[in-house]
Amino acid sequence: MDLRRRIPLLRWSVWRMATGARNITRTGQIGDGREAAVVDYVLKYARAGDVDDVLATIDKFAYEKSMLINVGDEKGAILDAAVRRADPAVALELGTYVGYGALRIARAAPNAKVYSVELADANAANARRIWAHAGVADRVTCVVGTISDGGRTLDALASDHEFSAGALDFLFLDHDKDAYLADLNSILDRGWLHRGSIVVADNVRVPGAPKYRAYMRDQQGKLFDTVEHKTHLEYQSLVGDLVLESEYLG
């Protein structure tokens, strides 16, 4: 692995990302156009209808063009394995970004309906173009909104997409880290998880979700059985990260 891949500070796109950090929570994007650029890159270079090639092309863009804030290839393998263990019929992702995480879920669970909740209309539009190019648009759906919007998005999932008690087999948290615990609790309040449902949370160490991690530690063996996967922050091998995989025991 070359130094530019291993050490992110050698990459100019990482410095641009740091200066645009405020944009992420407000707009869901870095602010320099990289999210639209990766869509153009995928449509130009990835084979249409080939999920593997679309994912590899996004990874190539993130390593060689501009760093992206999706789960990435190393942590994506942890996500894949968790999805396969859950074998979901219905999966929900919070935080679509460019559609990478939902695409990995769709690949690992080819019979699942995958829903992804996204704050930003622009990200939703980008993800839909990537999903269509990958050939999975018929079973991956983006819902624009947030779980913390007073129930509107939760109500839409229930009324428009038939989310109901015990219907959710897999949940992937990869959005605002400060919202992980509150949003999980909102989903628990709806009763959508069932015994054996799996919840995966990215970036628990960096940028960090300390309240979520503390909750899962407190609930170990009670409401959840959690494994902490030690890994690295996306698209580099210098900064460590944690992915939490939690099986619901309720």
Side-chain angles (χ1 to χ4, degrees):
M1 180 182 291
D2 64 47
L3 284 177
R4 291 181 71 253
R5 285 194 174 202
R6 182 178 182 276
I7 304 176
L9 295 182
L10 296 178
R11 302 181 57 194
W12 177 238
S13 70
V14 175
W15 290 101
R16 292 202 313 270
M17 185 169 65
T19 61
R22 290 183 181 179
N23 292 323
I24 298 170
T25 55
R26 188 176 71 254
T27 69
Q29 297 189 348
I30 304 301
D32 61 0
R34 70 184 67 193
E35 292 83 11
V38 72
V39 179
D40 293 339
Y41 190 81
V42 165
L43 268 58
K44 182 176 182 180
Y45 293 109
R47 291 186 295 274
D50 187 333
V51 176
D52 292 341
D53 197 48
V54 169
L55 285 167
T57 301
I58 296 172
D59 289 334
K60 182 178 175 67
F61 179 94
Y63 278 121
E64 299 181 2
K65 301 295 182 181
S66 292
M67 180 81 80
L68 298 171
I69 57 172
N70 45 249
V71 66
D73 51 350
E74 180 185 356
K75 292 186 292 184
I78 298 171
L79 174 64
D80 296 347
V83 173
R84 288 192 292 267
R85 277 190 285 275
D87 189 22
V90 178
L92 176 64
E93 172 189 54
L94 304 186
T96 308
Y97 193 46
V98 299
Y100 180 94
L103 193 57
R104 291 197 81 110
I105 295 169
R107 182 180 66 172
N111 296 317
K113 289 291 292 182
V114 182
Y115 298 90
S116 187
V117 172
E118 169 55 40
L119 165 73
D121 286 298
N123 281 344
N126 286 337
R128 289 171 183 140
R129 292 179 69 195
I130 285 178
W131 296 337
H133 190 75
V136 300
D138 60 329
R139 56 192 184 88
V140 184
T141 300
C142 188
V143 177
V144 177
T146 67
I147 300 301
S148 60
D149 61 7
R152 290 188 299 276
T153 297
L154 289 167
D155 287 345
L157 288 168
S159 62
D160 299 342
H161 305 293
E162 300 182 347
F163 275 59
S164 60
L168 184 56
D169 306 303
F170 186 85
L171 174 63
F172 180 39
L173 306 176
D174 196 20
H175 60 315
D176 179 1
K177 315 313 165 190
D178 292 335
Y180 278 14
L181 182 55
D183 289 356
L184 173 64
N185 280 326
S186 293
I187 290 168
L188 287 171
D189 289 344
R190 293 271 173 151
W192 289 350
L193 299 183
H194 59 79
R195 184 174 181 85
S197 294
I198 291 179
V199 182
V200 171
D202 188 20
N203 299 123
V204 175
R205 179 179 177 187
V206 181
K211 291 181 180 179
Y212 180 87
R213 188 183 186 192
Y215 170 83
M216 284 302 179
R217 286 183 164 181
D218 181 66
Q219 293 299 321
Q220 179 64 24
K222 303 172 187 175
L223 203 58
F224 287 95
D225 180 18
T226 297
V227 175
E228 295 190 352
H229 298 279
K230 292 183 178 180
T231 180
H232 297 96
L233 197 62
E234 45 268 25
Y235 298 119
Q236 51 80 51
S237 60
L238 186 65
V239 180
D241 198 3
L242 284 173
V243 171
L244 266 57
E245 178 184 347
S246 305
E247 181 180 346
Y248 185 56
L249 304 176

